[in-house]
Amino acid sequence: MAPKLVEQVTTAAGLGALAGAALGAGRGRRSTGLAALAGAAVLGASELVARRRQRPDEIPVLPHRILASAAIAAPAGWVAGAVARQPASRVALAAGSVAGALGVRPQKVLLGPVVGLLAGRALGRYGSSPAVAAAAAVVAYRVTAAALFRNPQVTLLAERADAGALPFVVPLAARGRYVGTDYMRELADRTGGAYTRDARDVGIVDTLADLAGPQFDPAFVHPLVREFYEHTTRFTLDIVPEWRMWVRPGYLLYSALMARPLGQANVPMNQRQALRGVVSRIDTVDRGDDAPLVRGWIRSYADDDAPIYVGVYTTYRHDGRGYVSVGFPLPESNFTATLEPRNRAGGGLVLTSGSDLAHPGHYLTFVDDDRGELTSLAVTGFGETLDVYPDGDELRADHAFSVFGLPFLVLRYRIRRAQPVDLGVLAESIGQIGR
């Protein structure tokens, strides 16, 4: 066997042994040892078969993934029973709930506790151990979810591919565990490019002409909308977040455990947070050699410069169409939104991932900088639409997000031209301070 396959099978066998020992615990050393050997043999063999049947750019088959999930749940269930002294029914409920939460899809999140509760009640009649309860609840949930929700949440697009083969992915990752507002400076240091903080009179795109295609004609865009995209730094933005009630508890947990520690994608939860003020700037990295200018749109809170998000904006053309790709750097990876431009009545511009074309969508990509390779997943259930339109002498924007067709957030923006600094007034003020 190839060295990588040997490593994968060995790891799976170790996990299987741990799961078998957890399932056989309490029945004597001999029984526990035999259960560990059986677990190692079963999961190791399953890994070997799954990997050999795996085709390029595919994930292992579902039965093996379900078996692996049960192997992870069993030791966790044993710990919950032996250390936390939790009964099997509660362990099953917790295991089903966690499995559902990992499913992300709202329907799956709701399904998890239901399956866990039913599994706990059924197993409680037979005096099953917490380890058995956890594994059984996870298996029951995974099988039920697979039967009810047949469209995949994620799809493996490419494994160890060249960046040129995935033009809809922004191949820029964070080297450390924290992204933060200095990401573009760190990118310049890493790539040897020329860094400009808070670049003047630049936009998130170079020109809307790069986006022309069958669904979008730049000639019909209102001049103010065009100016905003091509000269974004001339404008200030006020934001009002509108979260759906059902997603708020999950987002609060995500914000505390992931967004703030990562320094990325920490959207205001409510208007009170938004009233802290939002500072917006564009940092650039010029890599020379005819390479396109890297534009990072950075938004942070005005009171402490805590990052809201760091997005790297790029455009590209494919089959006579232009697209906007926004990459959000993550540790060793990137989450990219690729959006199709469309004209809007009244001179507005819509960017959307809701398209029948192949490229628009959302992609989670592991970036191997040393080898210049990408391993990319398509996040098929995520939806996004940005609608920018003129409103008198200002602009409005509605940035809507959904997951599996369920809306969960709309960011409403008021976009105004920044007030230019009056140099005469500034000089007079400085003179008064001097006196």
Side-chain angles (χ1 to χ4, degrees):
M1 291 189 292
K4 183 177 180 180
L5 181 58
V6 171
E7 180 183 354
Q8 292 170 331
V9 172
T10 302
T11 301
L15 177 60
L18 187 62
L23 294 172
R27 300 179 182 179
R29 291 185 178 181
R30 178 180 174 82
S31 296
T32 301
L34 290 174
L37 288 175
V42 170
L43 196 58
S46 178
E47 179 78 18
L48 177 61
V49 172
R51 292 296 178 181
R52 284 187 167 174
R53 293 180 57 188
Q54 184 180 7
R55 297 177 181 178
D57 299 338
E58 283 187 351
I59 58 178
V61 293
L62 178 62
H64 174 68
R65 302 202 310 270
I66 293 177
L67 186 62
S69 298
I72 294 172
W78 180 85
V79 171
V83 178
R85 303 294 182 184
Q86 294 298 314
S89 58
R90 289 185 182 176
V91 172
L93 175 60
S97 300
V98 170
L102 292 174
V104 179
R105 186 194 307 235
Q107 299 92 326
K108 287 189 173 184
V109 174
L110 296 176
L111 177 66
V114 175
V115 172
L117 179 64
L118 295 176
R121 288 185 176 180
L123 294 169
R125 299 174 185 174
Y126 301 99
S128 299
S129 69
V132 171
V138 169
V139 169
Y141 163 78
R142 293 294 303 271
V143 171
T144 304
L148 294 178
F149 310 109
R150 296 185 176 276
N151 56 322
Q153 293 184 187
V154 296
T155 303
L156 180 62
L157 289 180
E159 189 173 11
R160 296 191 296 274
D162 182 78
L166 303 174
F168 43 82
V169 168
V170 178
L172 297 176
R175 282 289 179 91
R177 296 183 178 181
Y178 188 78
V179 181
T181 57
D182 283 332
Y183 171 77
M184 295 295 289
R185 182 194 302 274
E186 296 166 0
L187 178 65
D189 292 341
R190 193 165 77 231
T191 60
Y195 169 71
T196 302
R197 177 186 172 89
D198 197 8
R200 297 303 176 188
D201 205 30
V202 298
I204 52 178
V205 302
D206 184 31
T207 171
L208 288 187
D210 292 339
L211 305 181
Q215 300 295 323
F216 178 67
D217 185 347
F220 291 103
V221 175
H222 190 280
L224 196 59
V225 175
R226 182 163 196 153
E227 183 182 8
F228 169 70
Y229 275 96
E230 297 178 350
H231 304 277
T232 311
T233 54
R234 295 178 183 176
F235 296 83
T236 61
L237 295 84
D238 296 326
I239 181 174
V240 177
E242 296 181 3
W243 291 88
R244 295 295 177 98
M245 290 298 297
W246 63 268
V247 80
R248 290 188 178 188
Y251 180 75
L252 287 173
L253 187 64
Y254 155 82
S255 179
L257 298 181
M258 293 187 64
R260 286 201 291 270
L262 283 176
Q264 177 66 289
N266 187 25
V267 178
M269 183 68 235
N270 49 45
Q271 186 61 15
R272 179 181 59 82
Q273 291 183 351
L275 288 175
R276 294 167 59 185
V278 176
V279 175
S280 172
R281 75 173 196 261
I282 294 180
D283 292 359
T284 63
V285 176
D286 187 353
R287 296 174 292 179
D289 298 329
D290 296 325
L293 192 71
V294 181
R295 306 160 189 262
W297 194 7
I298 299 167
R299 298 187 207 178
S300 58
Y301 290 106
D303 54 357
D304 59 3
D305 200 37
I308 296 175
Y309 81 66
V310 179
V312 178
Y313 281 71
T314 66
T315 61
Y316 72 97
R317 297 191 63 78
H318 178 76
D319 286 346
R321 299 173 183 268
Y323 297 94
V324 174
S325 287
V326 188
F328 300 92
L330 299 170
E332 306 297 334
S333 58
N334 188 289
F335 184 77
T336 300
T338 293
L339 308 174
E340 177 194 2
R342 297 175 183 173
N343 288 107
R344 181 191 192 278
L349 169 58
V350 174
L351 296 173
T352 181
S353 64
S355 171
D356 293 331
L357 299 173
H359 285 197
H362 296 82
Y363 306 94
L364 181 61
T365 304
F366 171 75
V367 181
D368 188 337
D369 280 332
D370 295 333
R371 297 184 178 181
E373 296 175 339
L374 307 177
T375 296
S376 186
L377 298 169
V379 186
T380 55
F382 202 81
E384 178 179 359
T385 297
L386 173 60
D387 183 5
V388 180
Y389 54 93
D391 181 23
D393 59 353
E394 299 179 347
L395 295 174
R396 300 284 179 172
D398 299 325
H399 201 170
F401 301 87
S402 64
V403 58
F404 295 100
L406 295 178
F408 67 89
L409 169 65
V410 178
L411 299 175
R412 302 198 185 278
Y413 289 96
R414 181 184 179 189
I415 304 172
R416 294 170 291 176
R417 192 185 302 277
Q419 293 296 324
V421 176
D422 190 322
L423 297 180
V425 173
L426 179 61
E428 182 179 351
S429 299
I430 294 175
Q432 290 175 350
I433 294 174
R435 292 195 293 270

